[in-house]
């Protein structure tokens, strides 16, 4: 039986050693040209976990990257971002490895220690996007990203001095900011695909709130909606914020309030009965949310129809 345990790579130096690369010039940060990586013996799929951040830009990379049960091919310029302790799988077509192009940037959390970026990097949601939510780049965008990676590489190639870390941190921050901008551009320009996701989400929420067993199931979670749409929760919320200005949780609450208004205005059910029917364990929680969203208590709203 195949070993299902992922291979943990604890240090950047260890990755260099495993991949047959020279020892990194800096133990906590490394920029790798994919053309420098030689084919590895064996072609069995492998699961990996890094103890450091990985930012990859890949082209002609005939490699299947897998998160969970999802599998995707990369055949154009794309970026994806992996935070420490995320499991991902790789299956390589060795016949095509000679044609692959791209760069990888590895950043160990210790490199960021005592800098504002140590905390700020955790705010970039795309580090928890799934691989199939990768960032697709234009040629101009790709050139910009590669230039930043090469600047980082050039800086640690030079003699290390007291300014080196600040210069590299500034370049990493620039790369992350550009990536955020490009993701927002991707959300906006992929209108057809993204609006299909939005339409499907509306259908899923309508079906959920119209079901007879919502009282037993409780309110739908962001994870439930994301799983139904086959996207990651953070990606979905980021997409919705760009398209609608509201997060997934806000969309769930908006649908909930819509159903609550319907029941308050067309039935004689008590507020408690409506709260339980909509999946709330405590009527007070329902009333508080309703007041927050509408500026009316449920009874005040009902009274406005009489």
């Amino acid at each position: 039986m195949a070993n299902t345990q992922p291979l943990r790579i604890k240090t950047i130096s260890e990755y260099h050693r495993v991949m047959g690369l020279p020892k990194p010039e800096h133990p906590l940060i490394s920029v790798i040209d994919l053309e420098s990586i030689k084919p590895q013996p064996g072609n069995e799929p492998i699961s990996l976990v890094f103890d450091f951040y990985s930012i990859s830009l890949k082209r002609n990379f005939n490699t299947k990257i897998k998160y969970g049960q999802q599998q995707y091919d990369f055949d154009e310029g794309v970026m994806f971002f992996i935070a420490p302790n995320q499991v991902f799988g790789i299956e390589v077509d060795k016949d095509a490895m000679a044609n692959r192009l791209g760069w990888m940037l590895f950043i160990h959390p210790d490199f960021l220690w005592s800098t504002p970026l140590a905390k700020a990097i955790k705010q970039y949601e795309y580090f928890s996007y799934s691989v199939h939510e990768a960032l697709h780049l234009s040629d101009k965008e790709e050139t910009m990203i590669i230039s930043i990676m090469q600047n980082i590489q050039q800086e640690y190639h030079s003699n290390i001095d007291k300014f080196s870390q600040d210069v590299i941190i500034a370049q990493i921050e620039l790369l992350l900011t550009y990536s955020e901008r490009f993701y927002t551009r991707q959300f906006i320009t992929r209108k057809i695909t993204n609006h299909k996701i939005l339409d499907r989400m509306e259908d899923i929420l309508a079906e959920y709130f119209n079901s007879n067993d919502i009282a037993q199931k409780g309110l739908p979670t962001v994870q439930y909606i994301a799983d139904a749409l086959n996207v990651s929760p953070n990606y979905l919320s980021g997409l919705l914020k760009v398209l609608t200005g509201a997060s997934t949780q806000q969309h769930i609450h908006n649908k909930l309030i819509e159903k609550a208004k319907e029941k308050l205005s067309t039935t004689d059910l008590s507020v408690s009965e409506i709260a339980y029917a909509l999946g709330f364990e405590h009527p007070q929680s329902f009333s508080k949310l309703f007041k927050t969203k509408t500026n009316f208590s449920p009874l005040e709203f009902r009274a406005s129809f009489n």
Side-chain angles (χ1 to χ4, degrees):
M1 182 178 294
N3 182 15
T4 57
Q5 285 293 106
L7 174 63
R8 180 174 288 276
I9 306 293
K10 295 183 178 180
T11 66
I12 294 172
S13 296
E14 183 181 356
Y15 179 89
H16 275 245
R17 185 170 63 253
V18 169
M19 300 306 293
L21 295 168
K23 185 178 178 180
E25 295 182 62
H26 195 295
L28 300 179
I29 190 161
S30 181
V31 176
I32 299 170
D33 185 340
L34 289 177
E35 289 186 283
S36 67
I37 298 180
K38 299 178 177 62
Q40 299 298 301
N43 57 0
E44 291 297 314
I46 184 171
S47 293
L48 297 172
V49 178
F50 292 160
D51 283 6
F52 43 87
Y53 291 95
S54 169
I55 301 173
S56 303
L57 189 160
K58 303 187 178 183
R59 178 178 286 280
N60 299 335
F61 193 73
N62 196 7
T63 297
K64 296 181 176 65
I65 309 288
K66 190 172 182 180
Y67 270 64
Q69 299 306 310
Q70 295 295 333
Q71 189 165 276
Y72 300 88
D73 295 330
F74 288 94
D75 55 4
E76 56 182 298
V78 294
M79 289 183 73
F80 61 98
F81 305 77
I82 299 174
N85 300 313
Q86 288 183 314
V87 179
F88 63 101
I90 294 181
E91 182 180 340
V92 178
D93 180 351
K94 293 175 67 177
D95 294 334
M97 286 187 71
N99 298 320
R100 69 181 183 177
L101 302 170
W103 298 80
M104 290 192 296
L105 169 62
F106 292 151
I107 310 162
H108 197 283
D110 288 353
F111 184 78
L112 308 177
W113 186 77
S114 80
T115 74
L117 188 55
K119 181 177 180 180
I121 195 171
K122 297 175 183 177
Q123 308 304 313
Y124 290 98
E125 294 184 339
Y126 48 70
F127 275 106
S128 55
Y129 290 177
S130 298
V131 169
H132 64 289
E133 297 152 355
L135 178 57
H136 295 253
L137 301 176
S138 69
D139 289 342
K140 181 180 178 181
E141 291 167 350
E142 187 176 333
T143 299
M144 293 171 67
I145 295 298
I146 291 173
S147 175
I148 294 172
M149 288 192 174
Q150 290 174 331
N151 287 343
I152 293 171
Q153 186 180 53
Q154 181 61 41
E155 184 61 31
Y156 69 69
H157 270 322
S158 306
N159 293 328
I160 300 294
D161 58 29
K162 68 178 183 178
F163 298 102
S164 298
Q165 185 186 33
D166 289 344
V167 172
I168 292 173
I169 290 290
Q171 291 293 314
I172 294 171
E173 289 176 330
L174 181 61
L175 187 152
L176 296 176
T177 301
Y178 271 128
S179 299
E180 184 92 342
R181 168 190 273 182
F182 297 157
Y183 256 117
T184 300
R185 180 267 308 152
Q186 182 166 301
F187 289 149
I188 294 170
T189 56
R190 290 181 151 191
K191 289 182 180 178
I192 295 176
T193 300
N194 292 338
H195 282 288
K196 283 182 178 177
I197 290 177
L198 184 57
D199 290 343
R200 284 173 56 208
M201 187 191 70
E202 291 295 329
D203 291 341
I204 290 166
L205 285 173
E207 181 180 350
Y208 194 100
F209 280 104
N210 287 332
S211 66
N212 294 323
D213 56 350
I214 185 174
Q216 285 73 42
K217 293 190 297 185
L219 291 174
T221 63
V222 172
Q223 184 70 58
Y224 172 87
I225 302 298
D227 288 346
L229 293 170
N230 195 29
V231 296
S232 68
N234 283 341
Y235 183 87
L236 178 59
S237 282
L239 170 63
L240 291 175
K241 285 176 183 175
V242 170
L243 292 180
T244 69
S247 67
T248 312
Q249 188 68 61
Q250 287 170 319
H251 275 272
I252 292 171
H253 286 166
N254 290 342
K255 181 62 70 173
L256 167 74
I257 297 303
E258 179 184 311
K259 293 300 296 183
K261 286 180 175 180
E262 178 186 317
K263 291 181 180 296
L264 285 166
S265 60
T266 62
T267 75
D268 294 325
L269 294 172
S270 69
V271 172
S272 294
E273 288 172 326
I274 292 173
Y276 292 134
L278 291 175
F280 282 85
E281 293 184 20
H282 306 290
Q284 298 92 331
S285 299
F286 164 69
S287 295
K288 182 178 180 180
L289 177 63
F290 192 92
K291 179 79 180 250
T292 300
K293 293 291 185 179
T294 68
N295 292 322
F296 292 99
S297 71
L299 289 178
E300 287 171 341
F301 179 82
R302 172 172 275 170
S304 69
F305 283 85
N306 297 328

